[in-house]
Amino acid sequence: MREAIAEYYGTRARRVTGLLIAGNLLFFGALLAAMFYLRWVSEAWPAPFHFASLLMVAAMTLFALCGSVTVAIGAHAAKINETEPAVRWIAIAISCWFVFLFLEIVEWVRLVYLERLGPDTSFGSTFLLLTGTHWLAAALCIGWFTYAAVDVRKRDVLAPAMYSHFLNFWWIVLVFALYFTNADLGGL
């Protein structure tokens, strides 16, 4: 058991990734606490998520999970010096995260332009801040994947995989704290 855990802090890149994850967790947690505070003091808090938008969130979650799983497979292939399969798996992970980012933009367009819940509303500002920071972190993670894929023999592929796993964890927290708590399934 100790050897399995030691793998996740075995290199300098992985230790720095652990610190990055801890910092991101504190930052995202503070944003989530601010959202709950604004929800508590707000007189009218909308429930803009319907069944169709929750299906989109489910698709986004599946693409994010696929991105994490495939980069972990790529990290394992890089560990056993299978360069070509490692690059292919990382490319699939990059593609999955790109689809996730695109679907997130579609969700923003729906909320801002169709539901009229833009940054001028309490809900819109907190929603866009929470999902926007996650979007930026996922975009940076894609860049990190690309950096690792360029030379999988010399670069630590498990470090961006760990960060991708953290982004998935945080996305699932957002799904439960942001999407499900603001869902209106009365017309289902």
Side-chain angles (χ1 to χ4, degrees):
M1 178 73 166
R2 178 171 255 182
E3 292 173 12
I5 295 172
E7 180 180 13
Y8 290 100
Y9 60 87
T11 66
R12 182 178 184 276
R14 295 175 198 165
R15 288 188 296 274
V16 170
T17 302
L19 293 174
L20 179 67
I21 288 170
N24 278 313
L25 188 61
L26 291 173
F27 177 71
F28 289 147
L31 291 178
L32 195 61
M35 188 227 26
F36 283 124
Y37 173 75
L38 285 174
R39 184 177 181 173
W40 182 55
V41 299
S42 178
E43 293 178 14
W45 193 264
F49 302 113
H50 308 292
F51 183 71
S53 60
L54 292 179
L55 284 177
M56 172 116 71
V57 169
M60 291 166 59
T61 304
L62 290 176
F63 277 108
L65 288 172
C66 287
S68 271
V69 168
T70 54
V71 78
I73 294 170
H76 177 71
K79 180 181 173 183
I80 59 175
N81 291 325
E82 293 182 0
T83 305
E84 190 176 328
V87 172
R88 272 194 243 132
W89 284 111
I90 296 170
I92 293 169
I94 290 169
S95 302
C96 290
W97 276 106
F98 266 126
V99 172
F100 174 88
L101 295 179
F102 172 75
L103 291 177
E104 185 67 30
I105 291 171
V106 170
E107 185 67 14
W108 291 341
V109 168
R110 184 189 74 78
L111 281 174
V112 171
Y113 294 108
L114 298 178
E115 297 284 336
R116 303 280 186 218
L117 292 170
D120 55 334
T121 65
S122 295
F123 174 82
S125 61
T126 56
F127 175 81
L128 291 172
L129 190 61
L130 280 166
T131 58
T133 53
H134 184 271
W135 191 93
L136 285 174
L140 291 172
C141 192
I142 289 172
W144 198 357
F145 287 169
T146 305
Y147 174 77
V150 169
D151 192 1
V152 294
R153 290 183 184 177
K154 293 182 182 176
R155 298 191 177 133
D156 190 358
V157 182
L158 188 57
M162 289 168 47
Y163 192 67
S164 179
H165 297 332
F166 165 73
L167 289 176
N168 268 303
F169 164 76
W170 186 251
W171 177 251
I172 291 171
V173 168
L174 286 179
V175 167
F176 282 100
L178 188 61
Y179 284 92
F180 287 162
T181 60
N182 298 304
D184 179 22
L185 298 176
L188 184 69

